[in-house]
Amino acid sequence: MRYIISRPWFWTGLIAIIAYIDIRALSGGYVYDDAGSVIKNVVVNGMVDWKEVFNRDYWGTEMNQIQSHKSFRPITTLTLKANYVVAKYIQKYQQSDNSEEEEQQEQTKQDLPPTWTFRVINVLLHGIVTGLITKSTSYILPSSSLSSGSHSTGSPVMELIIGSLFALHPVHAEVVSNITSRGEMLMSIFFLLSFLSYAGTRQACYKQQQIYNRQSKLIQSLSTNSSSILVPWWKRLLGIYIFPWICMTLSIFSKEQGATALISLVIWDFLKYHGNLVSLQRKLFISSSNTNTKTNKSIISTKNDDDDDDDTKTTVAAAAHDDATATTAKIERDEARQFVWRTIVLAVETLIVVGWRYVLNGESSPDFIVAQNPAGFAEERFTRAFSVTWIYCLYIRDAIYPYYLSPDWSGNSIDLITNWNDPRVMAVLALWYFAAQSLWSMVVGADTGGNPEIITNNSSIGSKGNTKSSPKDNINWYWNETTLRQINMSIWAFSFSPFLLSSNILVVVGLMKADRVIYLPLFGFCILEALLISKLLQGATTMRPAFERRKEQLFWGAHFLLMFQLIIYSGRTHARNLAWSDSLQLWESAYLVNPRSYHTMYNYGYELSLKQRYVEAEAVMRPNRQCDKANVLLDEAFRVIEEKRKEGGPRNSESHLSRSESNLLVAKAHCTEDYQEKGRVLYRAVEKDQTNDYAVNLATSFMEKMQQMEELQRGD
Ligand SMILES: *[C@@H]1O[C@H](CO)[C@@H](O)[C@H](O)[C@H]1NC(C)=O
């Protein structure tokens, strides 16, 4: 117990859970897509056997059918299924407990299982993800490079900061509160588990190697029986190749984005132990005989600055010895070769699973609606490249300033960038510039890359001994190779890689922008923010000796500001969480943030009309009465429907078409002034699709109004 209480991951996980506990939110209704993924999903509601989960997509449609959405997420569906069974059980139990009247009340609620059973699990999953994030941080930010002086942010503090930022970030509310988005969290859990397994094993191997190297150098013989201290081969096999692979497979079958899990591992490994391509290549190809000591030294110290123990200096000192130098070069080369080998194996593993997943799609590809992602489907290359990157800029804005959150960004919610005159081009170019800089630094290392001596200088400072003794000697002390690698790691391994499949780079996705896809990628942002804070603190005290005396104030000042940010975040998260408890509130908040999307407009208006608030609904759905234009468009729409009816095919099923026709007729009725004619149009709308509640409601209220008028006239 004491062990658990002293772990940062326990606390951040707890914070994540507490942030979402709110009775109103937990017991809210089913929202929007939950109907498709839970209530009407034949796998979840038990209309077909649960084993069918392996043949059907996330909405319960068979994968090989052409209508299928092709989202194969059996793990997520199974958790929903288990959840459904438990929920039904609880419901029955409650009903038998309740008095007769209440039972009747339950029945009127269409006999749906209670939502809180689903939401509670979502919140718990978010807690688990946050815990794993916190744990992962320790492999990304090793304590040595951060500790300086008595008041610097040590590793547990960094872990707490990153974990709490992740736990409370308002962008996550969309994933946690949307029952259907559960896949995002399951995917993240397996993603992070594969990382923890890999990183844990690698770090253990690396440490053992360090001890082994030192021993062999001191004793000057490689034949000592020290192989026993190395990590046993089966542990390496399991921890590096097997377990991450299994987790990645589970991840991809929770949500497609999990496919990049192993890519993150390789990027992490590369940045942690090699840093840049030039140094990797040097290790691989320079033979041990013609290496000069200086180069070697630099490589060792570059490599060692990540290590958290004090072996570093000993190793460097020992390396000065000529024989040892040759041995070191050989060890370096072996290590580099092993890295290349690991990369190949993980790549093959990824290809196997991705290939398998691809085959499951069957003959047909998913049928995306262009209007949902106009940026990704744009014809012109310029428009596509700039608009898609602009979406990234918006995601970055959301990560930093999470105010404009909405579940829907389809259609014309975001203007495309079509020419150079658009001022947003600047932001896009800036983003490309930073990405290119960062990539380049992974090729050559820090700016000082070409000169090994400077690398030695800079990076050795990252290790404990030097930082304490002479922080002021080098103004580059807070900006060194280690920092650069950590930044690159957070960007590429923990933001870009989990985002890759939503980025429109490899495949065009079905959505232009959806806040839920940056659930896991936000991890990278949280690391970046924590790094920024710690570096600012370190930088302030080293750049200005005058600040040295104020260290304590600075430390508390920075953390006070952070606290402030977290409080704002949690307030916002709470508000978002509440909004998700009820369809009307959800679409109302969406409409306030993004009134331009027709999808949002429609949903908000629809929800309003269900609540019989017709006047408001009308105002939302018809911002300005432009019936002349509307009538022209309506006529065209009727023509399109006729064409589609002739065309046939899965997307043009009769029920689909008649619903659209019915809706169009309702729209036409709105633009009809003549009462008799209006009644006739509404009648036809109901006739076309009797399940169209909106049409039925409207027609009924129209009839009531007419009757009232008639009575009034008769009264006269
Ligand atoms: C909830 O999540 C699912 C799956 O990620 C998504 O399809 C759906 O649109 C989300 N709901 C809303 C209202 O955005």
Side-chain angles (χ1 to χ4, degrees), residues 461-495:
I461 289 160
S463 64
K464 268 183 194 168
N466 284 357
T467 36
K468 274 178 191 158
S469 56
S470 59
K472 276 169 248 163
D473 293 350
N474 195 325
I475 51 158
N476 251 357
W477 175 85
Y478 57 93
W479 175 251
N480 53 34
E481 171 85 16
T482 314
T483 314
L484 181 74
R485 287 187 195 186
Q486 287 167 349
I487 291 175
N488 280 339
M489 229 184 252
S490 3
I491 296 177
W492 298 103
F494 301 103
S495 278

Side-chain angles (χ1 to χ4, degrees), residues 31-33 58-59 73 174 178 180-181 407 516 580 586-587:
V31 174
Y32 194 59
D33 275 337
Y58 194 48
W59 312 100
R73 302 168 192 167
E174 169 164 340
N178 181 354
T180 314
S181 280
R516 61 177 168 274
W580 272 88
L586 175 68
W587 289 112

